[in-house]
Amino acid sequence: MPLLRCLALLFAASAAPLSFPDVQLLEEKGETSAGVSLGDLNGDGRMDLMLAKGRHWPLHNRVLLNNGQGGYTASNLGAQPDRTYSAALADIDRDGDLDVVVSNDAPDRKLIYKNDGKARFTEAGTFGEPGWTTRYVTLGDLNGDGYPDIVAANRGGGPKPVASFVCFNDRRGGFPACQAVPSESATSIAVRDLDGDGAADLFVPHRDGGQSAVLWNDGQGRFASTTKVGPEKAVARISAVGDLDGDQRPDLVYIDEAKRAAFVMYARGKRAFSEAQALPGNAHTPYALALGDLNRDGRLDIVVGLVKAPGVVYFNDGTGRNFQQVPWNDGAGVVYGMVFGDVNGDKVTDIIAARSDAPNAVWFGKPAKP
């Protein structure tokens, strides 16, 4: 085995879980925030934040530019408040800066904002229909043209289930053409190549009492083939995809609000997945989920945000089946969304959370004491 590989494995084996004792509130009061995104918006090398706010009650989305001194310069994203669940960042026109795709609930327009490179954002168009009950959007190249497309998760049910949609980039950062995907009620859709064929597939967790599904991409952004996964009746709000056990195959992770737990479905190859296996922990209602290598040991960890209770970081021992649990946050409000990154420049990963009924905040990661 090459020396560098041996050293990397030795470092990974010795990496310890982080703790998250210190918090910085991003706002003075709690409102109905639903999402947060992280990225360098103005090209100064520092990580900035985009807060998605409003949900069903219009509020201004907020741009928070990192001043490099432990604080942020805040401004509104657009001129008008709207009902936003997510404000996703991507370079949609490939001009070298991060633009914003805003998913609004009905009856608001779904908006595109383009960045001039200095974090000055201009409303540049819309996608989809104002009547869509859109929750979260995910960006990914679905048709292999090198430009990020939009996947819009729409919630609904009843005799005529609401479809989710993919909207294709016209290679100029516009999204004039959308098509429905074979799905039912969804509030998030994860985008990842799940079968190794080079095309981005979709993991669609069922939000309102049905079975989740993986939609297989034919390489052109069409999803004619579907595999049902997980229990027949799920109440899954958020999903994530990543290789937890190191077998080079992405696993499926989701939270079930009704069963009050997070679950993993392990990839078996040939488009098959295991039965859903619950992660351990106290029975609190989960509402947010994300994957990330928080302690930088080369293994994906699982982070869960809860309703009115401190969340849990599941630090992965490398097997993808054994986790050390570490609490994070103060348990106030409801965690709707999370991102991870080093926002204070100490080379340790922090957790940034969007919350409803409690202020949005950063929890700073700290290495474990020897």
Side-chain angles (χ1 to χ4, degrees), residues 116-136:
D116 69 352
K118 300 296 183 181
R120 294 186 291 259
F121 294 94
T122 302
E123 184 180 318
T126 64
F127 68 95
E129 299 294 335
W132 288 359
T133 52
T134 305
R135 297 302 187 255
Y136 293 90

Side-chain angles (χ1 to χ4, degrees), residues 141-146 149 168 179 193 195 197-201 215-225 271:
D141 182 7
L142 301 176
N143 55 5
D145 66 355
D149 307 303
F168 295 100
Q179 67 181 35
D193 179 6
D195 56 3
D197 66 354
D201 307 303
L215 311 184
W216 303 105
N217 191 343
D218 67 357
Q220 302 299 315
R222 297 184 294 261
F223 301 88
S225 181
R271 295 188 170 183

Side-chain angles (χ1 to χ4, degrees), residues 49 91 167 195 214 231 240 313:
L49 299 172
D91 184 4
C167 300
D195 56 3
V214 173
V313 181

Side-chain angles (χ1 to χ4, degrees), residues 58 68 84 87 113 125 153 173 200 202 218 220 236 265 288 305 312 343 365:
T84 304
Y113 289 88
L202 308 180
D218 67 357
Q220 302 299 315
M265 293 182 287
V312 181
V343 297

Side-chain angles (χ1 to χ4, degrees), residues 65-76:
L65 298 181
N66 191 331
N67 64 18
Q69 300 175 353
Y72 296 87
T73 302
S75 61
N76 291 338

Side-chain angles (χ1 to χ4, degrees), residues 25-31 33 330 332 353-361 363:
L25 299 182
L26 297 173
E27 298 174 307
E28 294 182 355
K29 63 179 180 178
E31 297 180 313
S33 296
D330 54 13
R355 303 192 289 182
S356 283
D357 303 321
N360 301 314
W363 277 266

Side-chain angles (χ1 to χ4, degrees), residues 19-75:
S19 62
F20 300 89
D22 300 325
V23 62
Q24 177 185 8
L25 299 182
L26 297 173
E27 298 174 307
E28 294 182 355
K29 63 179 180 178
E31 297 180 313
T32 50
S33 296
V36 57
S37 299
L38 178 72
D40 182 5
L41 299 176
N42 56 2
D44 64 358
R46 296 189 287 262
M47 290 293 99
D48 309 303
L49 299 172
M50 183 73 64
L51 294 173
K53 306 183 66 172
R55 297 196 289 117
H56 308 299
W57 304 273
L59 291 172
H60 283 285
N61 299 313
R62 300 283 281 170
V63 181
L64 274 61
L65 298 181
N66 191 331
N67 64 18
Q69 300 175 353
Y72 296 87
T73 302
S75 61

